[in-house]
C-alpha cells in the first residue's frame, strides 16, 4: 500500500578507519594508563614498605603478563579482535577497582589486570593498524599516534599523584574509570570490524609460539629486539624506581610524579632526534644515545639516595637519550622484517616490553639485597653500555 512506507534508519556516518582513528584510540588509552603510572609503584611501596618486595611483585606480575602476551593471538583468532579489545579496556577498569581496595591481593590482581589489558589493547590495535593503514603510510601514522599520546604521558603521572595525595585513592582511580569508559565508547563508535563501511581485516592473528624459532634465527631481528629491550628497560626503571627514590628520600610522592611527567615531556625531542638520525645515520645516533644514557645512569647511581635531586636530574638526562631510541629504535625492526612475516614477527618482537618489565625487577631485587637504590641505576648502566656496543658493531651502516 502507498501508506506503508518503510523509512530509512539514519545512522551516523563513520569514515574509513585511518591514522586519526587509531591516534584517538591510543591517546585515550594512554590517559587511562598514564594517570596511575606513578601511583601504582607508590601504592605497592606503601603496602610492602620494602623496595626489594616491590621488585619481586613487579617480577611476578610481569611473568604472568608475558604468558598472556604470547597467547593473545590465539584468543584473538578464537573470539575476534573487537571483543578482545573490549576485554582489554574492561581489564584496565577492573584493575583500578582492585587498586581501590588498597590491599596486597588487590594490588597484585590490579597490576595483573592492568598488564593483561595493556597487552590485549596493544596487539589488537597493531593488527587493526596493519589492516587499515598502507605500508607507505605506517611511519606517518605511528608518528601521529605517538604525538597525540604525548600529552597523556606528560601530564597524566603528575595528575594521578596529585589526586592521590590530595583527594585519595578513590578519586585517582575514578579518573581512570572515566577515561576507560570514554575509550570503550569511542572504540564502539568507530565500529572497527563490525561496520559494513569498514572492510574486514585480512591479517590473521597467529600463535607467537610458532614464530619464536623463526624470529630468533634472524640476526637483524634479534638485534632489533635487544635495542628495543634496552630502551624499554630504562623506562621501566625510570617509571618504577624514580618515584620510589623520591618517596624513600623524603622528597614526597608529588615529586615522584613530577619526575615521571618531566621525563615524558622530553618526548617532544623525538622530532629533533629523528632529524639527527637522517643526518648522521640511525646507527651512529642510537649507539651514541645508549652510551650517553649509560653515563647519565652511572652519575645517577653515584648520587643515589644521598643526593636525590641530583639523581633525578641525571635520570632526566638519561630519559633525553632514551627518547632518541624511541624515535629511531623501531627502524631496525621495520627494515629487517620481511613483509610476509610482519604480523607474526611483530607479535614476537613485542615481547621485549614484557621482558623489560620482568627481568629488571628480578635483577634489582638481588641488587637491593646488598646495595641501595643507586646500585640499581649503575646496574642498568652496565647493560646499556653493552647495548650501545652491540648496536655500533652489528647494526648496518646504512641505517
Amino acid at each position: 500500500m502507498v501508506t506503508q512506507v518503510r523509512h530509512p534508519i539514519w545512522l551516523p556516518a563513520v569514515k574509513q578507519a585511518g591514522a586519526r582513528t587509531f591516534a584517538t584510540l591510543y591517546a585515550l588509552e594512554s590517559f587511562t594508563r598514564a594517570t596511575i603510572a606513578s601511583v601504582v609503584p607508590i601504592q605497592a611501596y606503601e603496602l610492602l614498605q620494602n623496595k626489594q618486595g616491590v621488585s619481586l611483585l613487579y617480577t611476578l606480575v610481569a611473568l604472568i603478563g608475558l604468558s598472556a602476551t604470547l597467547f593473545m593471538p590465539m584468543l584473538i583468532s578464537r573470539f575476534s579482535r573487537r571483543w578482545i579489545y573490549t576485554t582489554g579496556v574492561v581489564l584496565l577498569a577492573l584493575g583500578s577497582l582492585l587498586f581501590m581496595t588498597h590491599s596486597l591481593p588487590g594490588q597484585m590482581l590490579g597490576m595483573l589486570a592492568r598488564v593483561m589489558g595493556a597487552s590485549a589493547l596493544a596487539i589488537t590495535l597493531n593488527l587493526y593498524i596493519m589492516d587499515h593503514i598502507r605500508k607507505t603510510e605506517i611511519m606517518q601514522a605511528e608518528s601521529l599516534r605517538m604525538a597525540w599520546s604525548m600529552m597523556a604521558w606528560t601530564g597524566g603521572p603528575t595528575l594521578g599523584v596529585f589526586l592521590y595525595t590530595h583527594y585519595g585513592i578513590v578519586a585517582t582511580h575514578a579518573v581512570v574509570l572515566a577515561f576507560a569508559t570514554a575509550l570503550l565508547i569511542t572504540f564502539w563508535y568507530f565500529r572497527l570490524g563490525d561496520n559494513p563501511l569498514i572492510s574486514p581485516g585480512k591479517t590473521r592473528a597467529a600463535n607467537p609460539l610458532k614464530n619464536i624459532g623463526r624470529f630468533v634465527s634472524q640476526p637483524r631481528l634479534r638485534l632489533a629486539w635487544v635495542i628495543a629491550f634496552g630502551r624499554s628497560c630504562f623506562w621501566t626503571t625510570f617509571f618504577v624506581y624514580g618515584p620510589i627514590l623520591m618517596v624513600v628520600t623524603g622528597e614526597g610522592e608529588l615529586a615522584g610524579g613530577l619526575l615521571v611527567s618531566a621525563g615524558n615531556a622530553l618526548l617532544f625531542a623525538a622530532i629533533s632526534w629523528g632529524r639527527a638520525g637522517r643526518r648522521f645515520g640511525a646507527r651512529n645516533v642510537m649507539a651514541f644515545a645508549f652510551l650517553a644514557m649509560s653515563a647519565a645512569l652511572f652519575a645517577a647511581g653515584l648520587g643515589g639516595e644521598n643526593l636525590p635531586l641530583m639523581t633525578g636530574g641525571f635520570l632526566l638526562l638519561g630519559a633525553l637519550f632514551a627518547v632518541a631510541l624511541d624515535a629511531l629504535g623501531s627502524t631496525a625492526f621495520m627494515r629487517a622484517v620481511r613483509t610476509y612475516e610482519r604480523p607474526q614477527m611483530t607479535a614476537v618482537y613485542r615481547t621485549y616490553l614484557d621482558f623489560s618489565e620482568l627481568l629488571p625487577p628480578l635483577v634489582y631485587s638481588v641488587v637491593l639485597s646488598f646495595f641501595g637504590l643507586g646500585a640499581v641505576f649503575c646496574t642498568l648502566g652496565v647493560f646499556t653500555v653493552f647495548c650501545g656496543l652491540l648496536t655500533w658493531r652489528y647494526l648496518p651502516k646504512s641505517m
Side-chain angles (χ1 to χ4, degrees):
M1 296 176 62
V2 177
T3 57
Q4 292 179 331
V5 179
R6 185 174 183 180
H7 296 284
I9 300 175
W10 296 100
L11 296 175
V14 180
K15 296 181 180 180
Q16 175 75 24
R20 292 180 179 272
T21 302
F22 303 115
T24 300
L25 291 173
Y26 189 66
L28 288 171
E29 177 197 337
S30 296
F31 271 111
T32 304
R33 295 193 291 118
T35 303
I36 56 173
S38 297
V39 174
V40 172
I42 290 174
Q43 278 190 242
Y45 181 76
E46 288 180 351
L47 289 167
L48 295 170
Q49 292 296 312
N50 184 281
K51 293 171 287 187
Q52 186 181 11
V54 173
S55 294
L56 291 174
L57 178 60
Y58 268 87
T59 298
L60 178 61
V61 170
L63 182 62
I64 301 174
L66 174 62
S67 302
T69 297
L70 289 173
F71 287 96
M72 196 64 67
M74 294 178 62
L75 296 176
I76 293 173
S77 63
R78 173 67 177 84
F79 296 104
S80 83
R81 299 175 198 170
R82 64 178 178 272
W83 290 114
I84 297 299
Y85 190 97
T86 299
T87 302
V89 179
V90 172
L91 283 172
L92 292 182
L94 177 61
S96 280
L97 290 174
L98 291 166
F99 286 136
M100 287 183 187
T101 65
H102 203 58
S103 63
L104 186 56
Q107 182 75 17
M108 180 177 175
L109 292 174
M111 292 171 65
L112 182 59
R114 178 175 155 86
V115 168
M116 294 176 66
S119 176
L121 293 176
I123 293 177
T124 49
L125 190 64
N126 283 337
L127 289 173
Y128 279 129
I129 290 173
M130 285 188 286
D131 283 343
H132 292 282
I133 303 295
R134 296 177 182 176
K135 293 181 180 180
T136 56
E137 299 174 349
I138 284 182
M139 290 296 291
Q140 181 180 356
E142 287 295 279
S143 299
L144 182 66
R145 187 161 69 105
M146 293 303 297
W148 283 29
S149 69
M150 284 181 186
M151 189 62 68
W153 288 106
T154 300
T158 299
L159 172 63
V161 175
F162 175 80
L163 292 173
Y164 185 67
T165 54
H166 289 77
Y167 299 99
I169 190 171
V170 175
T172 305
H173 292 287
V175 173
V176 176
L177 295 176
F179 279 123
T181 301
L183 173 59
L184 192 58
I185 292 173
T186 304
F187 172 73
W188 280 96
Y189 168 77
F190 287 135
R191 298 194 287 278
L192 293 174
D194 279 337
N195 196 308
L197 293 176
I198 300 176
S199 58
K202 298 181 286 296
T203 303
R204 294 181 62 84
N207 178 6
L209 287 175
K210 297 180 180 179
N211 301 305
I212 292 176
R214 177 61 182 163
F215 188 97
V216 173
S217 68
Q218 301 181 61
R220 288 185 62 184
L221 290 184
R222 295 200 305 266
L223 177 59
W225 190 93
V226 171
I227 292 172
F229 176 69
R231 65 179 170 86
S232 190
C233 283
F234 174 86
W235 287 119
T236 297
T237 305
F238 183 80
F239 286 145
V240 175
Y241 296 93
I244 290 178
L245 171 71
M246 294 300 150
V247 172
V248 299
T249 56
E251 296 298 329
E253 298 167 340
L254 185 58
L258 288 171
L259 177 65
V260 172
S261 291
N264 286 320
L266 294 173
L267 286 169
F268 289 103
I271 296 176
S272 297
W273 282 118
R275 292 172 180 169
R278 289 191 295 271
R279 180 175 180 180
F280 301 106
R283 185 195 74 155
N284 297 333
V285 175
M286 283 192 283
F288 167 77
F290 268 124
L291 297 176
M293 180 198 300
S294 301
L297 285 168
F298 287 133
L302 291 176
E305 298 174 42
N306 295 323
L307 300 169
L309 295 181
M310 186 188 81
T311 302
F314 280 114
L315 288 177
L316 285 176
L317 181 61
L320 176 63
F321 297 111
V323 170
L325 298 168
D326 286 337
L328 302 173
S330 61
T331 306
F333 172 75
M334 296 186 70
R335 292 188 180 181
V337 66
R338 293 177 170 83
T339 302
Y340 65 90
E341 289 183 319
R342 190 170 187 177
Q344 297 87 347
M345 295 301 99
T346 299
V348 182
Y349 174 70
R350 193 201 170 274
T351 60
Y352 77 82
L353 187 60
D354 299 284
F355 275 103
S356 70
E357 294 177 351
L358 170 64
L359 295 181
L362 181 61
V363 173
Y364 299 156
S365 65
V366 177
V367 172
L368 289 170
S369 299
F370 303 96
F371 307 102
L373 270 174
V376 165
F377 307 128
C378 289
T379 301
L380 178 60
V382 172
F383 178 65
T384 52
V385 166
F386 167 77
C387 292
L389 295 176
L390 201 67
T391 301
W392 175 261
R393 174 65 179 85
Y394 292 106
L395 199 65
K397 293 181 178 180
S398 58
M399 291 290 292

